[in-house]
Amino acid sequence: MARRRRRRALRPLPLLLAVFLVAVLLVLAYHWREHERQRRAAERPVAARVIDAARVDPRLDGRPVVARGRLTAEGELADPVFGVRARGLALLRRVEMRQWQERRAADGSASYAAVWSERPIESSRFARAAEHANPRMPFASAVFRPARLRLGGYLLPLEAVDPLLDRAEPLPATAEALPENLAASFVLREGVLHTAADPEQPAIGDLRIRFLVLRPRDAELEAIVRGGRLEPRGPLREPVR
């Protein structure tokens, strides 16, 4: 009789255990849903605020923005090899060499044309390589940058202007800027340096070198504000008017 009463007294234990497990599962489910909600909220893109970048605003630190302002640079631009100097956002040296270019026909025959190319054309695999060897380029194209670059009052990475380099304007070279060791090797014609004595009759291996400068301009940029700097989230572009 006493044993039956003990068994009846123990019957609520499985029920209590089941209730406890359900409660634990409900708590876990709640925390999982809350975690997922916070994760989705963190991944949801925040609309970028359009700002005038003229002055640094500490309240924007860490926020995404579309910054609009004037692109300016600090420090002189200089090509140390050719002595060309300028003020601007970037100085470009464009070096082209007269080279052989091979064209293969459907029947496998090869023809050759002399072309200007900014990149070396590999000639060792030409069908008639011995007759059409391209010399090594003694100088390469280059981009020279300022000490600092700003959009309004905010600092930018110096390479941020690269999407705008195709807006660079010709900058005529001058004979006075050429170092003595190069002055005898180049002819100046309309602001362009040539190694050919007659620029109208260049030979294979002759060079022509042009310079361009990217001037200050208005621009806008999608970025994250980090103190007095902008971390680009997209390319610099000219503002839509």
Side-chain angles (χ1 to χ4, degrees):
M1 195 71 167
R3 186 176 299 172
R4 288 180 182 176
R5 288 177 181 172
R6 192 177 300 130
R7 286 178 180 173
R8 288 176 184 172
L10 292 175
R11 281 177 186 174
L13 288 177
L15 180 60
L16 291 174
L17 182 60
V19 171
F20 174 76
L21 290 174
V22 169
V24 169
L25 291 174
L26 289 174
V27 170
L28 291 174
Y30 170 80
H31 284 289
W32 180 82
R33 285 197 301 268
E34 184 64 16
H35 171 76
E36 286 297 298
R37 184 188 67 79
Q38 294 178 4
R39 182 183 62 81
R40 286 194 295 269
E43 293 177 352
R44 191 177 300 123
V46 179
R49 176 180 172 183
V50 178
I51 66 166
D52 180 353
R55 294 183 179 179
V56 174
D57 186 346
R59 295 171 298 178
L60 297 174
D61 194 47
R63 294 191 57 180
V65 297
V66 176
R68 293 175 177 169
R70 187 73 175 171
L71 269 176
T72 58
E74 300 174 16
E76 188 179 45
L77 303 167
D79 181 336
V81 175
F82 290 91
V84 176
R85 298 179 180 275
R87 291 282 179 178
L89 308 175
L91 173 65
L92 288 71
R93 179 212 294 165
R94 293 284 184 250
V95 180
E96 295 175 291
M97 186 170 74
R98 195 72 167 172
Q99 302 179 67
W100 289 115
Q101 185 176 67
E102 183 183 67
R103 295 184 176 88
R104 293 286 184 101
D107 61 2
S109 61
S111 61
Y112 298 86
V115 299
W116 289 107
S117 176
E118 195 173 344
R119 295 182 179 181
I121 298 175
E122 178 57 54
S123 59
S124 62
R125 297 184 180 180
F126 285 176
R128 300 201 299 274
E131 306 166 42
H132 300 90
N134 286 324
R136 183 183 64 85
M137 292 184 74
F139 303 102
S141 296
V143 179
F144 303 98
R145 305 185 186 278
R148 293 182 182 84
L149 181 70
R150 293 182 184 274
L151 180 60
Y154 291 90
L155 285 169
L156 289 179
L158 298 181
E159 297 77 11
V161 298
D162 287 1
L164 301 178
L165 292 182
D166 59 352
R167 272 77 159 177
E169 306 166 10
L171 178 69
T174 61
E176 294 78 13
L178 274 177
E180 291 183 7
N181 63 322
L182 295 177
S185 303
F186 287 90
V187 172
L188 187 63
R189 179 72 61 86
E190 297 179 353
V192 179
L193 297 174
H194 300 264
T195 56
D198 180 1
E200 298 299 324
Q201 299 292 326
I204 296 299
D206 275 329
L207 303 175
R208 68 180 182 190
I209 303 177
R210 308 169 188 269
F211 295 91
L212 305 99
V213 62
L214 183 66
R215 304 288 186 187
R217 62 194 57 231
D218 292 334
E220 66 179 28
L221 177 70
E222 293 183 25
I224 298 292
V225 178
R226 301 293 185 197
R229 296 178 176 270
L230 294 175
E231 294 182 359
R233 299 179 70 190
L236 261 175
R237 55 181 182 264
E238 294 183 335
V240 178
R241 300 187 183 281

